[in-house]
Every structure is written in C-alpha cells, then in structure tokens.
Amino acid sequence: MLEKYKQYFKESEKEWEDRCIRCGGCCGAFDDPCLQLRKDNQGKYYCVSYQDRFGEQLTKEGEKFDCVPIWKIYNSYWKNDHLCAYKRTRKLPWKK
C-alpha cells in the first residue's frame, strides 16, 4: 500500500511540474533574473540548481530573495505573469 501512495505522489508531482511552460517569469526573466536562471536553445528557461533552489538566492543586479515553491507566490504579481501556466490553470482549472 505504501508503494501505491509513493507512486501517486510521484505522478502528482510530475503532473504539477509538467504544467510549467518554462517562461522564466517567476524567476525574473523579464526584469532582474535569478543568477541560477538559464535559457536553452529552444528559448525555454531552466534553473541550474533546481533540486536545491529553495532558500536565499541572488539576482543579476545583486538583490537577495528567497526562492520558494510556485504555489506560494502565484497569488502575487511579477512582470508578464499572464504567461504563467500555473496562474492560467488556477484561473481556468478546466484548462490543463
């Protein structure tokens, strides 16, 4: 039974992560990006320290901030946040 729960949570996490379209907005791509943010050859953003990203980080301009899970900030505003798939899904939950 424990393995079923583990599998369920693993699949749920993957489904949540797969919603992201990698626009980079929540990481500052459109204003003062996090130093860990990179852009790949397809124009998608990714974090070079994704597995260890939570906690204090720096932006390119030297501002300190705490990286947190997206669900903790998607009620806030950032530049071009209308691109965020998580925000769109929250407003229109039937669209995944």
Side-chain angles (χ1 to χ4, degrees):
M1 188 61 101
L2 182 60
E3 288 304 315
K4 283 185 180 182
Y5 284 117
K6 286 181 181 179
Q7 186 62 31
Y8 169 78
F9 287 117
K10 186 176 182 178
E11 289 171 5
S12 294
E13 182 180 13
K14 181 175 177 358
E15 181 181 319
W16 173 259
E17 292 281 332
D18 287 348
R19 288 183 187 179
C20 182
I21 60 170
R22 311 291 187 252
C23 72
C26 62
C27 299
F30 305 111
D31 45 21
D32 183 16
C34 175
L35 286 176
Q36 305 301 318
L37 191 63
R38 302 290 188 282
K39 196 173 192 180
D40 68 17
N41 293 334
Q42 287 77 43
K44 302 287 183 179
Y45 288 91
Y46 66 96
C47 176
V48 295
S49 64
Y50 191 75
Q51 295 302 319
D52 301 312
R53 69 194 180 279
F54 298 132
E56 190 173 279
Q57 298 288 341
L58 281 176
T59 67
K60 286 191 177 181
E61 292 182 13
E63 184 179 334
K64 292 180 182 180
F65 72 97
D66 284 324
C67 183
V68 297
I70 187 70
W71 59 267
K72 286 191 174 185
I73 64 166
Y74 69 6
N75 285 324
S76 62
Y77 168 81
W78 58 84
K79 190 173 183 180
N80 291 334
D81 66 349
H82 66 280
L83 300 174
C84 178
Y86 294 113
K87 284 190 162 216
R88 289 193 312 242
T89 300
R90 185 154 191 256
K91 290 177 183 173
L92 306 170
W94 58 88
K95 284 185 131 183
K96 288 186 180 182

